[in-house]
Amino acid sequence: MRTLLMWLLVPLVLATVVGAALLYPFGHDQRTGAEVGLNQKPVNAVVTGVQDDVCGEKCTAVTVRMTEGDANGQSIAIPSVKGPGSPRYQVGDEVVLSYSGSQPQAAESYQIVDFQRGWSLLLLGLVFAAAVLLLGRWQGLAALGALLLSFVVLVLFVLPSILAGQNPLLVAVVGAGLIMFVVLYLTHGVSARTSTAVLGTLVSLALIGVLGALFSAAAKLTGLDEDTINLVTVLGTDIDTRGLLLAGTLIGALGVLDDVTVTQTSAVWELRRANEKLTWRELFAAGSRIGRDHMSSVVNTLVMAYAGAALPLLLAISLAGRSMGEILTAQQIAQEIVRTLVGSIGLVAAIPVTTALAAIIAVRQEVAHAGPEPEELEPEPKTVKRAKPEPPRPTRFEGDLYTGYDPGKGPWERPGATRPAARRAAPANPARPARRRSSDSP
């Protein structure tokens, strides 16, 4: 089985590496900033004063001191809109200004666009890392390393390749493959169990890609929303917006797929370890029962994640006074529906596929029994020094030590005698028996 898994996975790993090498934009110089028309430059500053009713009823004058840029250390007053939903500033707030780059001394060249939140995010990241390390220990450290490598793949491969004009769907497939191999093998180790989870994830990703392409074309989804339109406008080049939609679907479903496949594989292996006599059909049935409970929670998680991301859009469309059917079939809502349902179908399919693969492979693997737990050594009882007992004093015997009775108590009788018999008193000094002489003696 290990040889079969190797023959199945090694070509996929090689195809992923070759695809990454072919799709990566070597030598491509991507234009950024002012080169693509984005002349705004961020500048950090600190709020030193806030005055109301200086520039009008719906305006607030915010005085800031810049901590970097061409006018570092200088203070300027910037008007800010005051009203429902607008941010409120206080003295000491660290903010980010947008500088147009024309006149660094003029207040008209700046605009408050955001707050600085680097320290709060860094603190949250440290708390998250500490929680993972505290619970997972070495495996938690491996999970943090895999998470970091996932971001590296996204930032250094997926984004540059799409911006360079590569097919977003192909880039997403290769990027998802890289993330999957790195995350699963680094976190769970190189084993038959991990390889089974990888195979289940690959099958589910392929199903999501095929269904996404079919239903995106059937629903005539273009993938054009506000953010995508701004991206196309800034790039000034043609980009496959529908492929970009499918790429987001694959990458969004990858994290949940890893959870499902690893959980199902581990469940089947533990069932096999608990009872070696289970056949692959019995393992598949037991693992499927576990997977059905997992499926309901995972599908709900994916739906709620997409609904939460599109919540402002749902609120905006609901204010238009349109019917529920018109809202659900609108371009921006329909693409979220397709993305959610296609991802959910892939998650549902991952459970039986992964469980079947795990059951077939697990019954052919030797069961690795866990070693006996070390017994706790009982503490040795403490020895208490006790005083030595005094030897008993010798008992004083009276009477004739040879015969063992007291003559003053009368004649001696044999213990247990049934008939009384008068005994003659023994002479005080009995005569010794005469010595028998032999005939040869003189």
Side-chain angles (χ1 to χ4, degrees), residues 9 31 103 126 137 162 167 184 191 245 329 351 408 422:
L9 289 176
R31 298 179 302 164
Q103 298 178 359
L126 292 177
R137 299 183 181 181
I162 294 177
N167 189 338
L184 292 182
S191 63
L245 173 64
T329 56
I351 292 175

Side-chain angles (χ1 to χ4, degrees), residues 66-147:
M66 285 172 283
T67 57
E68 64 178 8
D70 298 335
N72 187 11
Q74 298 185 7
S75 298
I76 57 174
I78 302 176
S80 177
V81 178
K82 181 177 66 173
S86 60
R88 296 184 179 182
Y89 303 99
Q90 298 178 356
V91 176
D93 288 343
E94 296 180 345
V95 296
V96 179
L97 308 179
S98 178
Y99 172 53
S100 61
S102 56
Q103 298 178 359
Q105 309 296 333
E108 294 79 9
S109 301
Y110 298 92
Q111 184 180 2
I112 303 177
V113 294
D114 205 352
F115 289 94
Q116 299 181 35
R117 51 184 64 91
W119 286 108
S120 59
L121 294 180
L122 178 60
L123 178 61
L124 179 60
L126 292 177
V127 172
F128 165 73
V132 173
L133 292 176
L134 182 63
L135 181 62
R137 299 183 181 181
W138 288 110
Q139 192 168 3
L141 180 62
L144 292 177
L147 179 62

Side-chain angles (χ1 to χ4, degrees), residues 221 314 317 322-338:
L221 297 178
L314 294 174
I317 294 180
R322 302 166 64 180
S323 63
M324 182 60 65
E326 293 175 347
I327 292 176
L328 295 179
T329 56
Q331 165 70 28
Q332 295 176 332
I333 300 298
Q335 68 182 16
E336 296 298 331
I337 292 176
V338 171

Side-chain angles (χ1 to χ4, degrees), residues 292-355:
R292 281 193 291 268
D293 294 335
H294 194 197
M295 177 189 64
S296 58
S297 60
V298 167
V299 170
N300 187 61
T301 300
L302 188 62
V303 172
M304 291 298 102
Y306 283 125
L311 185 59
L313 179 61
L314 294 174
L315 293 174
I317 294 180
S318 63
L319 293 176
R322 302 166 64 180
S323 63
M324 182 60 65
E326 293 175 347
I327 292 176
L328 295 179
T329 56
Q331 165 70 28
Q332 295 176 332
I333 300 298
Q335 68 182 16
E336 296 298 331
I337 292 176
V338 171
R339 183 181 302 176
T340 302
L341 296 182
V342 166
S344 300
I345 292 173
L347 292 178
V348 172
I351 292 175
V353 170
T354 307
T355 306

Side-chain angles (χ1 to χ4, degrees), residues 241-385:
T241 55
R242 182 181 295 175
L244 191 62
L245 173 64
L246 296 176
T249 303
L250 285 178
I251 295 176
L254 177 60
V256 189
L257 275 177
D258 292 346
D259 176 28
V260 171
T261 55
V262 170
T263 302
Q264 289 303 115
T265 307
S266 298
V268 171
W269 247 262
E270 292 302 324
L271 290 171
R272 166 69 173 169
R273 178 179 296 179
N275 189 355
E276 301 179 15
K277 298 180 180 180
L278 293 177
T279 63
W280 79 269
R281 293 180 182 273
E282 294 171 338
L283 284 176
F284 175 75
S288 298
R289 288 192 294 269
I290 298 174
R292 281 193 291 268
D293 294 335
H294 194 197
M295 177 189 64
S296 58
S297 60
V298 167
V299 170
N300 187 61
T301 300
L302 188 62
V303 172
M304 291 298 102
Y306 283 125
L311 185 59
L313 179 61
L314 294 174
L315 293 174
I317 294 180
S318 63
L319 293 176
R322 302 166 64 180
S323 63
M324 182 60 65
E326 293 175 347
I327 292 176
L328 295 179
T329 56
Q331 165 70 28
Q332 295 176 332
I333 300 298
Q335 68 182 16
E336 296 298 331
I337 292 176
V338 171
R339 183 181 302 176
T340 302
L341 296 182
V342 166
S344 300
I345 292 173
L347 292 178
V348 172
I351 292 175
V353 170
T354 307
T355 306
L357 290 174
I360 294 173
I361 296 175
V363 295
R364 291 168 173 80
Q365 291 286 315
E366 295 181 359
V367 178
H369 295 283
E373 297 183 358
E375 298 180 357
E376 296 183 358
L377 298 178
E378 297 182 359
E380 297 181 357
K382 297 182 179 179
T383 57
V384 180
K385 294 183 179 180

